[in-house]
Amino acid sequence: MAANNSSEAPIPPLEEAGGEGVKHEAEAEADGKGKAPAQAQAASTTTMLHRSGSRPQLDLSGAAIHGTLEDRNPTILLPNQSDDISHLALDIGGSLIKLVYFSRHADQSTEDKRKLSTKKRLEIFTGARRSYPVLGGRLHFVKFETGKLNECLDFISSKQLHRGGVDSPSWRSGAQPDNIVIKATGGGAYKYADLFKERLGVSLEKEDEMDCLVAGSNFLLKAIRHEAFTHMDGQKEYVQIDQNDMFPYLLVNVGSGVSIIKVDGHGKFQRVSGTNVGGGTYWGLGRLMTECKSFDELLELSQRGDNSTIDMLVGDIYGGLDYSKIGLSASTIASSFGKTISDNKELSEYRPEDISLSLLRMISYNIGQISYLNALRYGLKRILFGGFFIRGHAYTMDTISFAVHFWSKGEAKAMFLRHEGFLGALGAFMSYEKHGLDDLSAHHLVERFPMGAPYVGGKIHGPPLGDLNEKISWMEKFVQKGIQITAPVPMGAPATTGMGGFERPTSKGDILRSDASAALNVGVLHLVPSLDVFPLLEDPKTYEPNTIDLDHNEFKYWFTVLSDHLPDLVEKAVASEGGTDDAKRRGDAFAHAFSAHLFRLMEEPAAYGKFGLANLLELREECLREFQFFDAYVSIKQRENEASLAVLPDLLMELDSMDEEARLLALIEGVLAANIFDWGSKACVDLYHQGTIIEIYRMSRKKMQRPWRIDDFDMFKKRMLKKDQPYKKALISVDNSGADVVLGMLPLAREFLRHGIEVVLVANSLPALNDITANELPEIVAEAAKHCGILRKAAEAGGLIVDAMAGIQDDAKDEPVSVPLMVVENGCGSPCIDFRQVSSELAAAAKDADLLILEGMGRALHTNLNARFKCDALKLAMVKNQRLAEKLFNGNIYDCICKFEPVS
Ligand SMILES: Nc1ncnc2c1ncn2[C@@H]1O[C@H](COP(=O)(O)OP(=O)(O)O)[C@@H](O)[C@H]1O
Ligand SMILES: CC(C)(COP(=O)(O)O)[C@@H](O)C(=O)NCCC(=O)O
Ligand SMILES: [Mn+2]
């Protein structure tokens, strides 16, 4: 076991499991004399979930921006939410206390004039929660040992979770709401009710444990995209369960004891069985027999164990032979611990490692087998395993899966849940009325993986970090020590089972990663009710944003690219914040945090769920924001915008002198040429040292030689200029700032407007590299409009600029009222786009669009190259990376892609 070095961790670790004082009181109570073990008592009736809803809860309705329209970071008020709202729910089990808490959070969203007018125009219901781009709300998951209840109470108290969090008005005013009620489930909700009242002044409102388990599990399956996975032979595979085909399934919650529940629907279930041989048994027996001080230590021991010294194998009985007639190999366990009968040895003569492995195999296998029998009893094919006994441990999951697979002859499937032990706590949280969670679907939730606590050698050091300063200090501490910080997610082990029997695993992994439910393996769930599925996706069910699967090999490449890029990014980020000492500290901390993520993913690409390149690039941006770098490329963007706007009038004049067909080609060429301005591509950044923006733009244009690597231009031109069937509305998704948007995309948009086609420019909600954001775009359009009547009239018609330019030369004075030009945000803060989760603004704007243009590598190549839409789609990008050019197009760096996909 990696030593939990106290000199590095002066504060007691949150998850320092075990210890002398660990009690299993609830278990002892449940197992009262003369009674059948509680876990084995099967309920006979099907229970309907009752929601006790005695008080108002998180109410997002009527949310409104507080402050002036010009405020950059206004507070969002939830007028219908009462101050004494509880943001916390608990599951106090026999071994562990699980906390799910909600924190309100106002992200960097502004409600400017553009947004207000867009909303009006798109008829987005203002005043409702759906009108907020990022209505902050986050669900956090934390656990404590039940034996260390005091730490849990301190945690709740320090964060004021029982009073609605430190951001709650009642907290700030120092008010003491006298009757705070918190939902709680698990035996401890009864047992410790008085203590909670005494220490925190709160009453625990008890929710039934089974109700909660089922509600939590159903919510996760419905709302989290990569929640359930199979684990066989060391391989983790995410399973997408169809929402319309979720039921029935068998839920096996392996906590201290085991509950087996047949789930038939929402709130419709029956506890059909259970077993008292569960997680508490492994930990309890293991502690007695090995003198381990913590659960993790015990589990870690098992990884170096050889159970054949303890278990009686088929081969031991059959003289080394298989018992092939009934399908048992020599290495199959015939009798767990059976060998110790004849050995005549004392307990101390056995290796603790071997004991732990024998125990783990015995208990996991037994649970798998009992679960299978119950599945058989009710004809169920899907068995979902939850509870903290699983602990994301590869070997445990493989053993259970093997048992299910073996006994069912492959008919039934064992699946595991990423939020394994939090089902009950989540269910208790769900039982609050008006929390809004019921209405949420997968597209409303974004899981993020902040550095919640520092990790060294797979161990958590210290409690979850309270603020940014604490976080940075931790990072610095570990940097000084030169220790690699790694994000703690359960490790994946290589193959564990052999043919025809249950073999000894070849490897069980070297280290057991600290599971740190307070942080990275289970991320923080961001609730973003304003996200929607893009309505023009041909088939949202089969849509896959990532073009290339981020498997281990692919990740290795990106690991190098992103690591190499890191020093430059940090330099830009620090400069964007004025280069102060504080910015430098944050910059270093960011670099270490992001590297930690990279190292973690290198070990196991599936550690954070099914992770694609889009997620990885977004993780980098989110990590920057976590360390309060809100726009690392701000000055580069400004400089390039200004330089490009200065040459725009000449370009427009040149374009206007061409005939329609030549102009269209020049425009598309211009878009492709200007897409070279990408500060995320190493090759391009090297290029920028060789000339000014305008020189590079000219050079790039000159090199535009057709045919391009993919060249559907003629097809597009034909369709675009079809007089009897003109396009009506184009959604144009833009990419980079500077020449890209000013000299490439704006002139193209202008051409559409000239053809009477309504244009919606789609831009990022939050900064990512040098991409233009929806907040920045109106100013650029207004600048451009000073030199162009078409843009001006259209921008006015779209409410983008008010008519404040009287007296400015007007070449479109006598033209009829223009079709509108609008700007909408896409809901993203990444250089890629996942169309399953876009802003409601974009979704509303898309409804009557008949053309979608995607520009740039991130949005048109790395993601969406293979995406199919319900309207015509034009994908435009310059490939600024040799490897990608080879991989996707058998081509070369600086190749251009013009892919047109008409619907008919
Ligand atoms: N850090 C830990 N400390 C104690 N037990 C742990 C820990 N991590 C995982 N476990 C396992 O998880 C079991 C508890 O699982 P859980 O789902 O929380 O059930 P309960 O609600 O009964 O506490 C323990 O009995 C033990 O086998
Ligand atoms: C992050 C990006 C996808 C952005 O490209 P864009 O969408 O701006 O065309 C791209 O810069 C990229 O793939 N860069 C990493 C690899 C490299 O250095 O070439
Ligand atoms: Mn870009």
Side-chain angles (χ1 to χ4, degrees), residues 225 240 242 244 533-545 834-836 864 866-871 903:
R225 203 166 277 128
Q240 197 47 59
D242 186 346
N244 303 316
V533 178
F534 187 59
L536 295 174
L537 272 182
E538 190 187 74
D539 182 4
K541 277 213 179 97
T542 56
Y543 169 78
E544 167 57 55
D834 178 342
F835 278 105
R836 288 170 302 195
N864 303 306
N866 303 320
R868 311 291 304 186
F869 297 94
K870 283 182 190 155
C871 66
V903 269

Side-chain angles (χ1 to χ4, degrees), residues 557-558 561-562 565 613 617 620 675-684 735-736 740 769-771 831-832 855-862 877-878 880-882 884 893:
Y557 168 76
W558 280 100
V561 168
L562 298 180
H565 188 221
L613 181 60
L617 294 178
R620 179 172 63 176
N675 191 233
I676 201 165
F677 292 98
D678 163 20
W679 283 85
S681 148
K682 187 175 181 315
C684 292
D735 180 7
N736 305 313
D740 194 340
L769 291 167
N770 61 322
D771 290 351
C832 296
E855 190 222 359
M857 287 219 289
R859 297 170 189 84
L861 305 184
H862 287 315
M878 179 188 272
K880 289 148 288 193
N881 178 287
Q882 180 63 29
L884 190 76
I893 188 162

Side-chain angles (χ1 to χ4, degrees), residues 193-208:
D194 292 346
L195 198 64
F196 272 79
K197 187 81 201 168
E198 201 180 296
R199 284 281 310 271
L200 300 175
V202 299
S203 309
L204 299 183
E205 185 169 333
K206 287 117 196 136
E207 289 290 323
D208 178 74

Side-chain angles (χ1 to χ4, degrees), residues 317-368:
I317 306 170
Y318 280 76
L321 300 175
D322 296 339
Y323 182 1
S324 42
K325 197 176 156 196
I326 57 166
L328 300 178
S329 75
S331 58
T332 303
I333 301 173
S335 168
S336 287
F337 286 83
K339 205 175 262 178
T340 63
I341 311 166
S342 48
D343 272 354
N344 227 348
K345 287 201 277 187
E346 296 300 313
L347 181 59
S348 58
E349 292 174 75
Y350 290 98
R351 292 173 69 229
E353 290 88 342
D354 300 348
I355 293 172
S356 178
L357 183 60
S358 291
L359 261 180
L360 183 63
R361 293 188 69 165
M362 175 177 90
I363 289 163
S364 310
Y365 196 82
N366 191 55
I367 290 169

Side-chain angles (χ1 to χ4, degrees), residues 166-184:
V166 284
D167 56 348
S168 121
S170 63
W171 162 236
R172 277 197 303 269
S173 66
Q176 291 275 356
D178 35 349
N179 190 25
I180 302 176
V181 183
I182 286 173
K183 297 278 191 181

Side-chain angles (χ1 to χ4, degrees), residues 398-471:
D398 272 2
T399 307
I400 291 176
S401 299
F402 180 85
V404 169
H405 183 84
F406 181 77
W407 290 109
S408 73
K409 298 195 171 63
E411 287 280 299
K413 199 149 84 172
M415 288 185 262
F416 304 89
L417 298 166
R418 285 185 51 227
H419 291 81
E420 46 184 29
F422 286 108
L423 307 186
L426 201 47
F429 192 90
M430 303 277 300
S431 72
Y432 283 122
E433 276 199 339
K434 292 190 195 165
H435 48 49
L437 287 189
D438 282 338
D439 302 333
L440 295 178
S441 307
H443 62 267
H444 294 129
L445 292 159
V446 184
E447 192 173 8
R448 302 208 187 287
F449 300 87
M451 277 288 150
Y455 309 97
V456 178
K459 290 280 151 203
I460 307 176
H461 288 250
L465 300 165
D467 61 23
L468 184 65
N469 198 38
E470 268 178 36
K471 200 179 283 193

Side-chain angles (χ1 to χ4, degrees), residues 379-396:
L380 306 174
K381 300 269 181 274
R382 281 188 297 216
I383 313 178
L384 265 94
F385 291 88
F388 271 125
F389 169 69
I390 309 292
R391 206 222 167 283
H393 190 237
Y395 194 77
T396 307

